[in-house]
Amino acid sequence: MVQRPSAAANLDAWLAYLEALHPTAIDMGLERVQQVATALQINPRPAKVITVAGTNGKGSTVRYLETILRAAGYRTGVYISPHLHSYEERVRINAEMLSAEQHVQAFNAVEDKRGDTSLTYFEFGTLAAFWLLQQQQVDVWILEVGLGGRLDAVNCIDADVGVLTSVGIDHVGFLGPDRTSIAREKAGIFRADKVAVIGEPDFPPAILQELAQRAIVPRRVNDSFHYRLHESGDTWQFSSPQSQLSELPVPQLPLPNAATALMALEALDLPVSLAAIRTGLANAREAGRLEIHQGNPDYLLDVAHNPHAAEFLTRYLQQRFPKRPIYAVVGMLKDKDIAGTLAALEPLVQAWYLADLSGPRGASAQELAAALRTSAAPPSITCFATVPAAFEAACAQARDAAQGTQQQPLVLVCGSFYTVGQIT
């Protein structure tokens, strides 16, 4: 039996306890987490709740919602996962992290109420986050689904607005082998008497039919709402039956997710001014997502870890840096579609700096190299024992290559949260 941390235990001790508490890291289902949520008397009301699911785009959509609502004067509470650098990143109140001591207090509250109910690391942390949001008395809860939707711990709370950003192939062992199966699981966050927003333009028709049978008529991109980047590339416009917004600032984060966030806010039925929308869009930043650092050399961090995300990243690089050589630092988990992800990036990459990821789920650099070698051989493949070593080598080579040329190489770091999290 795992021993409960002492009264003086710190956050690290509690996280170690959570990791050892449940026999499996992932145990899909809502019964256990709902039991403990009831014991904790978790109830967001009168706050509004937005739940965001999707294969990719969840983090940037959450950030758009947060920055716009804050600009409109609302007090926001955000729960995300995983984190990049520290556990405290998972809960934000008005865009600020809470202290380690506050997280420990929340863990104690969950432990006091769970009784004999076994919880996974994620479930325990989710309940602690809910307890913290409730204690902070925010106006809007913005919740990011961890895995799937229907059976994810976040889904124990009914959202006023459910948002599905995208549907791609990922986590097939838990969500199903195809986009239809995965879409079905993610659409499980929708409720018959609440608003559903879908930002995926190619949503499986079979799941739309199933939603209709559940009396859910979602507001879909290219149907209920539209967006268009102006030819100048400097502004964009959003339109729905209720809104016609033009001359919006082009944000740093992905534009499709900005449009999805605007539809969600319109559905939330809270007053938000055009000025707040413009301010929020301009200020939205998310660590590890299209995060550019200028220097010698320039480098870009993005947590793209599946083919869908890698394809978007490739299009972004082609548009933003059309002539710059790309040196890619990549580390991935072995349960991801490594070959498909690397293949999506391959047309742009001049040199690969592949790194081992530690832990039982981590893939080795040699495994990544083997996946690359199944297709056309790139100019250069080098393997490293750590992500920092690969990054340092890529930066050094980029600096050398830039001497005497006008186009300095761009170092790209991607493949996993665990990869990006090691580069500061």
Side-chain angles (χ1 to χ4, degrees):
M1 182 176 179
V2 184
Q3 187 67 35
R4 174 176 178 157
S6 69
N10 62 18
L11 180 58
D12 288 339
W14 270 99
L15 294 177
Y17 174 68
L18 267 56
E19 289 175 344
L21 193 59
H22 196 75
T24 58
I26 300 175
D27 190 358
M28 306 292 282
L30 295 180
E31 182 178 355
R32 288 172 294 105
V33 75
Q34 284 176 331
Q35 288 175 351
V36 183
T38 299
L40 284 165
Q41 298 183 321
I42 298 298
N43 181 10
R45 311 308 168 195
K48 299 280 191 177
V49 179
I50 308 174
T51 297
V52 182
T55 304
N56 300 296
K58 298 189 296 290
S60 56
T61 302
V62 166
R63 184 65 81 170
Y64 284 128
L65 293 168
E66 178 187 41
T67 55
I68 294 171
L69 284 167
R70 287 190 63 233
Y74 297 105
R75 182 171 171 82
T76 59
V78 167
Y79 172 54
I80 63 169
S81 66
H83 57 270
L84 279 179
H85 303 293
S86 69
Y87 187 88
E88 294 93 320
E89 297 168 20
R90 295 189 178 215
V91 178
R92 298 193 298 264
I93 303 299
N94 274 350
E96 297 293 332
M97 294 188 298
L98 299 176
S99 68
E101 290 75 19
Q102 287 170 296
H103 282 275
V104 167
Q105 185 181 11
F107 290 152
N108 272 292
V110 175
E111 185 67 5
D112 287 342
K113 295 295 185 180
R114 75 174 180 87
D116 296 330
T117 304
S118 180
L119 297 171
T120 66
Y121 179 100
F122 177 74
E123 290 168 341
F124 203 117
T126 298
L127 288 165
F130 290 171
W131 187 87
L132 286 167
L133 296 183
Q134 189 160 291
Q135 295 295 311
Q136 293 291 322
Q137 298 181 336
V138 298
D139 298 314
V140 183
W141 292 30
I142 308 171
L143 310 177
E144 180 185 316
V145 168
L147 174 60
R150 182 175 65 93
L151 299 177
D152 187 88
V154 167
N155 200 35
C156 74
I157 288 182
D158 293 334
D160 295 286
V161 179
V163 179
L164 204 170
T165 59
S166 64
V167 179
I169 302 297
D170 203 5
H171 300 295
V172 294
F174 296 99
L175 305 181
D178 51 50
R179 293 184 74 252
T180 298
S181 301
I182 293 170
R184 179 179 293 112
E185 290 298 317
K186 294 184 183 300
I189 66 168
F190 297 148
R191 302 292 194 269
D193 57 341
K194 304 295 183 181
V195 179
V197 175
I198 296 178
E200 167 60 63
D202 185 27
F203 197 76
I207 308 305
L208 290 175
Q209 294 174 5
E210 292 180 14
L211 290 176
Q213 293 170 1
R214 293 168 53 195
I216 298 172
V217 181
R219 305 183 189 188
R220 297 167 51 211
V221 68
N222 300 333
D223 180 20
S224 301
F225 66 100
H226 301 78
Y227 69 96
R228 182 174 65 86
L229 183 67
H230 290 173
E231 292 183 2
S232 66
D234 297 328
T235 61
W236 65 289
Q237 65 183 38
F238 170 88
S239 62
S240 73
Q242 291 76 36
S243 303
Q244 300 292 324
L245 308 179
S246 60
E247 302 299 319
L248 297 173
V250 176
Q252 176 179 308
L253 297 173
L255 187 59
N257 302 328
T260 301
L262 291 186
M263 185 71 259
L265 288 173
E266 182 177 295
L268 192 63
D269 197 27
L270 284 178
V272 175
S273 69
L274 179 57
I277 290 172
R278 286 175 169 154
T279 298
L281 290 171
N283 292 338
R285 302 287 187 276
E286 184 70 357
R289 294 172 178 86
L290 303 181
E291 181 183 347
I292 185 70
H293 293 255
Q294 295 182 329
N296 184 24
D298 296 340
Y299 64 94
L300 186 144
L301 308 178
D302 193 90
V303 296
H305 56 270
N306 54 48
H308 187 276
E311 289 165 5
F312 177 88
L313 178 58
T314 295
R315 291 193 298 270
Y316 174 85
L317 292 170
Q318 288 172 329
Q319 294 169 1
R320 181 75 183 273
F321 308 102
K323 297 181 180 179
R324 295 184 66 169
I326 305 296
Y327 292 179
V329 176
V330 183
M332 294 189 68
L333 299 177
K334 62 178 62 177
D335 54 9
K336 300 298 181 180
D337 182 356
I338 294 174
T341 302
L342 298 181
L345 295 168
E346 195 169 10
L348 291 184
V349 176
Q350 278 69 51
W352 297 91
Y353 299 79
L354 308 178
D356 296 348
L357 282 189
S358 60
R361 295 176 62 202
S364 69
Q366 293 295 337
E367 288 175 302
L368 302 186
L372 268 173
R373 291 187 178 116
T374 61
S375 57
S380 173
I381 302 175
T382 313
C383 296
F384 298 84
T386 68
V387 171
F391 179 67
E392 290 176 10
C395 288
Q397 186 61 41
R399 284 190 289 268
D400 290 343
Q403 295 180 5
T405 66
Q406 293 183 343
Q407 287 296 330
Q408 181 193 69
L410 175 70
V411 175
L412 168 67
V413 182
C414 66
S416 172
F417 281 87
Y418 300 100
T419 304
V420 171
Q422 297 182 59
I423 305 301
T424 57

mmCIF file of all heavy atoms in Angstrom, residues 148-169:
data_model
loop_
_atom_site.group_PDB
_atom_site.id
_atom_site.type_symbol
_atom_site.label_atom_id
_atom_site.label_comp_id
_atom_site.label_asym_id
_atom_site.label_seq_id
_atom_site.Cartn_x
_atom_site.Cartn_y
_atom_site.Cartn_z
ATOM 1 N N GLY A 148 -8.958 12.031 -25.676
ATOM 2 C CA GLY A 148 -10.271 11.683 -26.178
ATOM 3 C C GLY A 148 -11.308 12.712 -25.799
ATOM 4 O O GLY A 148 -11.270 13.859 -26.225
ATOM 5 N N GLY A 149 -12.263 12.305 -24.969
ATOM 6 C CA GLY A 149 -13.326 13.209 -24.568
ATOM 7 C C GLY A 149 -14.391 12.497 -23.757
ATOM 8 O O GLY A 149 -14.617 12.802 -22.596
ATOM 9 N N ARG A 150 -15.013 11.523 -24.346
ATOM 10 C CA ARG A 150 -16.146 10.842 -23.720
ATOM 11 C C ARG A 150 -15.787 10.274 -22.348
ATOM 12 O O ARG A 150 -16.547 10.432 -21.380
ATOM 13 C CB ARG A 150 -16.650 9.718 -24.639
ATOM 14 C CG ARG A 150 -17.865 8.961 -24.108
ATOM 15 C CD ARG A 150 -18.357 7.952 -25.133
ATOM 16 N NE ARG A 150 -17.365 6.904 -25.372
ATOM 17 C CZ ARG A 150 -17.328 5.742 -24.722
ATOM 18 N NH1 ARG A 150 -18.214 5.491 -23.774
ATOM 19 N NH2 ARG A 150 -16.405 4.831 -25.012
ATOM 20 N N LEU A 151 -14.644 9.627 -22.236
ATOM 21 C CA LEU A 151 -14.247 8.972 -20.996
ATOM 22 C C LEU A 151 -13.121 9.706 -20.275
ATOM 23 O O LEU A 151 -12.548 9.177 -19.322
ATOM 24 C CB LEU A 151 -13.818 7.520 -21.281
ATOM 25 C CG LEU A 151 -14.906 6.623 -21.875
ATOM 26 C CD1 LEU A 151 -14.356 5.240 -22.179
ATOM 27 C CD2 LEU A 151 -16.108 6.526 -20.938
ATOM 28 N N ASP A 152 -12.797 10.899 -20.711
ATOM 29 C CA ASP A 152 -11.750 11.677 -20.062
ATOM 30 C C ASP A 152 -12.284 12.272 -18.757
ATOM 31 O O ASP A 152 -13.451 12.667 -18.666
ATOM 32 C CB ASP A 152 -11.288 12.795 -20.991
ATOM 33 C CG ASP A 152 -10.079 13.545 -20.457
ATOM 34 O OD1 ASP A 152 -8.952 13.109 -20.746
ATOM 35 O OD2 ASP A 152 -10.283 14.544 -19.745
ATOM 36 N N ALA A 153 -11.419 12.367 -17.750
ATOM 37 C CA ALA A 153 -11.832 12.860 -16.437
ATOM 38 C C ALA A 153 -12.463 14.242 -16.503
ATOM 39 O O ALA A 153 -13.383 14.557 -15.736
ATOM 40 C CB ALA A 153 -10.631 12.869 -15.488
ATOM 41 N N VAL A 154 -11.999 15.086 -17.412
ATOM 42 C CA VAL A 154 -12.558 16.434 -17.554
ATOM 43 C C VAL A 154 -14.049 16.388 -17.870
ATOM 44 O O VAL A 154 -14.814 17.279 -17.487
ATOM 45 C CB VAL A 154 -11.786 17.211 -18.641
ATOM 46 C CG1 VAL A 154 -12.513 18.483 -19.045
ATOM 47 C CG2 VAL A 154 -10.381 17.551 -18.148
ATOM 48 N N ASN A 155 -14.484 15.320 -18.529
ATOM 49 C CA ASN A 155 -15.868 15.230 -18.988
ATOM 50 C C ASN A 155 -16.857 14.899 -17.880
ATOM 51 O O ASN A 155 -18.047 14.744 -18.138
ATOM 52 C CB ASN A 155 -15.976 14.178 -20.100
ATOM 53 C CG ASN A 155 -17.224 14.352 -20.953
ATOM 54 O OD1 ASN A 155 -17.659 15.468 -21.207
ATOM 55 N ND2 ASN A 155 -17.799 13.241 -21.389
ATOM 56 N N CYS A 156 -16.395 14.805 -16.642
ATOM 57 C CA CYS A 156 -17.335 14.604 -15.535
ATOM 58 C C CYS A 156 -18.109 15.883 -15.235
ATOM 59 O O CYS A 156 -19.067 15.866 -14.459
ATOM 60 C CB CYS A 156 -16.614 14.092 -14.291
ATOM 61 S SG CYS A 156 -15.630 15.321 -13.409
ATOM 62 N N ILE A 157 -17.688 16.995 -15.836
ATOM 63 C CA ILE A 157 -18.392 18.265 -15.693
ATOM 64 C C ILE A 157 -19.096 18.588 -17.010
ATOM 65 O O ILE A 157 -18.507 18.473 -18.087
ATOM 66 C CB ILE A 157 -17.421 19.394 -15.318
ATOM 67 C CG1 ILE A 157 -16.953 19.217 -13.877
ATOM 68 C CG2 ILE A 157 -18.045 20.767 -15.514
ATOM 69 C CD1 ILE A 157 -16.042 20.301 -13.384
ATOM 70 N N ASP A 158 -20.357 18.989 -16.917
ATOM 71 C CA ASP A 158 -21.113 19.385 -18.110
ATOM 72 C C ASP A 158 -20.686 20.789 -18.535
ATOM 73 O O ASP A 158 -20.773 21.733 -17.749
ATOM 74 C CB ASP A 158 -22.611 19.379 -17.818
ATOM 75 C CG ASP A 158 -23.146 17.981 -17.562
ATOM 76 O OD1 ASP A 158 -22.545 17.017 -18.062
ATOM 77 O OD2 ASP A 158 -24.158 17.869 -16.853
ATOM 78 N N ALA A 159 -20.229 20.907 -19.771
ATOM 79 C CA ALA A 159 -19.797 22.209 -20.282
ATOM 80 C C ALA A 159 -20.970 22.973 -20.883
ATOM 81 O O ALA A 159 -21.857 22.391 -21.513
ATOM 82 C CB ALA A 159 -18.716 22.023 -21.342
ATOM 83 N N ASP A 160 -20.967 24.275 -20.695
ATOM 84 C CA ASP A 160 -21.945 25.131 -21.372
ATOM 85 C C ASP A 160 -21.675 25.163 -22.871
ATOM 86 O O ASP A 160 -22.602 25.212 -23.680
ATOM 87 C CB ASP A 160 -21.872 26.555 -20.809
ATOM 88 C CG ASP A 160 -22.291 26.607 -19.353
ATOM 89 O OD1 ASP A 160 -23.497 26.499 -19.077
ATOM 90 O OD2 ASP A 160 -21.408 26.735 -18.495
ATOM 91 N N VAL A 161 -20.396 25.132 -23.224
ATOM 92 C CA VAL A 161 -19.977 25.067 -24.627
ATOM 93 C C VAL A 161 -18.894 23.996 -24.758
ATOM 94 O O VAL A 161 -17.863 24.063 -24.089
ATOM 95 C CB VAL A 161 -19.432 26.417 -25.129
ATOM 96 C CG1 VAL A 161 -18.975 26.299 -26.593
ATOM 97 C CG2 VAL A 161 -20.464 27.518 -24.995
ATOM 98 N N GLY A 162 -19.162 23.017 -25.601
ATOM 99 C CA GLY A 162 -18.154 22.013 -25.928
ATOM 100 C C GLY A 162 -17.506 22.369 -27.251
ATOM 101 O O GLY A 162 -18.200 22.704 -28.221
ATOM 102 N N VAL A 163 -16.173 22.305 -27.304
ATOM 103 C CA VAL A 163 -15.425 22.688 -28.502
ATOM 104 C C VAL A 163 -14.577 21.506 -28.957
ATOM 105 O O VAL A 163 -13.833 20.924 -28.156
ATOM 106 C CB VAL A 163 -14.517 23.902 -28.225
ATOM 107 C CG1 VAL A 163 -13.732 24.272 -29.486
ATOM 108 C CG2 VAL A 163 -15.317 25.090 -27.723
ATOM 109 N N LEU A 164 -14.681 21.169 -30.231
ATOM 110 C CA LEU A 164 -13.839 20.127 -30.829
ATOM 111 C C LEU A 164 -13.022 20.792 -31.930
ATOM 112 O O LEU A 164 -13.572 21.232 -32.929
ATOM 113 C CB LEU A 164 -14.705 19.000 -31.378
ATOM 114 C CG LEU A 164 -14.076 17.619 -31.515
ATOM 115 C CD1 LEU A 164 -15.128 16.567 -31.837
ATOM 116 C CD2 LEU A 164 -13.001 17.592 -32.583
ATOM 117 N N THR A 165 -11.709 20.881 -31.727
ATOM 118 C CA THR A 165 -10.867 21.650 -32.638
ATOM 119 C C THR A 165 -10.507 20.897 -33.907
ATOM 120 O O THR A 165 -10.519 21.472 -34.998
ATOM 121 C CB THR A 165 -9.571 22.057 -31.933
ATOM 122 O OG1 THR A 165 -8.876 20.872 -31.488
ATOM 123 C CG2 THR A 165 -9.856 22.944 -30.735
ATOM 124 N N SER A 166 -10.148 19.621 -33.789
ATOM 125 C CA SER A 166 -9.672 18.866 -34.942
ATOM 126 C C SER A 166 -9.775 17.372 -34.662
ATOM 127 O O SER A 166 -9.876 16.956 -33.508
ATOM 128 C CB SER A 166 -8.214 19.224 -35.257
ATOM 129 O OG SER A 166 -7.363 18.839 -34.181
ATOM 130 N N VAL A 167 -9.746 16.589 -35.725
ATOM 131 C CA VAL A 167 -9.786 15.135 -35.604
ATOM 132 C C VAL A 167 -8.678 14.544 -36.464
ATOM 133 O O VAL A 167 -8.690 14.687 -37.686
ATOM 134 C CB VAL A 167 -11.146 14.556 -36.042
ATOM 135 C CG1 VAL A 167 -11.134 13.034 -35.916
ATOM 136 C CG2 VAL A 167 -12.281 15.151 -35.223
ATOM 137 N N GLY A 168 -7.706 13.922 -35.826
ATOM 138 C CA GLY A 168 -6.618 13.253 -36.528
ATOM 139 C C GLY A 168 -6.356 11.903 -35.905
ATOM 140 O O GLY A 168 -6.944 11.541 -34.876
ATOM 141 N N ILE A 169 -5.473 11.143 -36.499
ATOM 142 C CA ILE A 169 -5.144 9.819 -35.993
ATOM 143 C C ILE A 169 -4.109 9.938 -34.883
ATOM 144 O O ILE A 169 -2.974 10.365 -35.106
ATOM 145 C CB ILE A 169 -4.604 8.915 -37.117
ATOM 146 C CG1 ILE A 169 -5.631 8.804 -38.247
ATOM 147 C CG2 ILE A 169 -4.252 7.537 -36.567
ATOM 148 C CD1 ILE A 169 -6.934 8.154 -37.851
#
